Amino acid sequence: MARISAVQAALGLCAHQRLRMMLVDELSFRAMGAALFPALAASSAQRKIAAQCALVLEQLEALEDAARKAARAKRKERVPPSSTRP
């Protein structure tokens, strides 16, 4: 739950909604387009959603990469320097 909240806080509600629709609801781009853009033609809505989802996945990748780097840096801070023996 903490990771879900962190993603929502970092990427925003719209990105969170698209991720939820893809991963939890397992909707196709066509179904997502129909739900989010009912006034658009199905093909246009599908293309628009596909582009939005691609952007969200790129942002999620960048967020995860930053989290990994931060965790690595934190681990390096906690490791005491090794003492050298004469």
Side-chain angles (χ1 to χ4, degrees), residues 45-59:
Q46 181 178 353
R47 281 193 307 273
K48 193 170 190 166
I49 284 295
Q52 289 179 357
C53 288
L55 179 61
V56 167
L57 293 173
E58 287 175 13
Q59 291 172 332

Side-chain angles (χ1 to χ4, degrees), residues 46-84:
Q46 181 178 353
R47 281 193 307 273
K48 193 170 190 166
I49 284 295
Q52 289 179 357
C53 288
L55 179 61
V56 167
L57 293 173
E58 287 175 13
Q59 291 172 332
L60 183 61
E61 179 186 16
L63 180 66
E64 288 293 322
D65 187 41
R68 278 192 299 274
K69 286 179 182 176
R72 202 174 308 130
K74 190 174 182 179
R75 280 193 306 271
K76 281 185 178 182
E77 287 176 4
R78 286 190 285 164
V79 174
S82 60
S83 60
T84 57

Side-chain angles (χ1 to χ4, degrees), residues 2 7 9 17 28 30 37 47 51 60 65-66 74-75 80-81 85:
V7 168
Q17 182 182 24
S28 65
R30 183 172 295 277
F37 303 108
R47 281 193 307 273
L60 183 61
D65 187 41
K74 190 174 182 179
R75 280 193 306 271
R85 290 186 172 174

Side-chain angles (χ1 to χ4, degrees), residues 8-29:
Q8 184 175 353
L11 301 182
L13 184 60
C14 289
H16 172 76
Q17 182 182 24
R18 269 101 181 132
L19 280 171
R20 182 186 51 77
M21 293 174 92
M22 281 189 289
L23 302 174
V24 176
D25 301 336
E26 298 180 355
L27 296 178
S28 65
F29 291 151

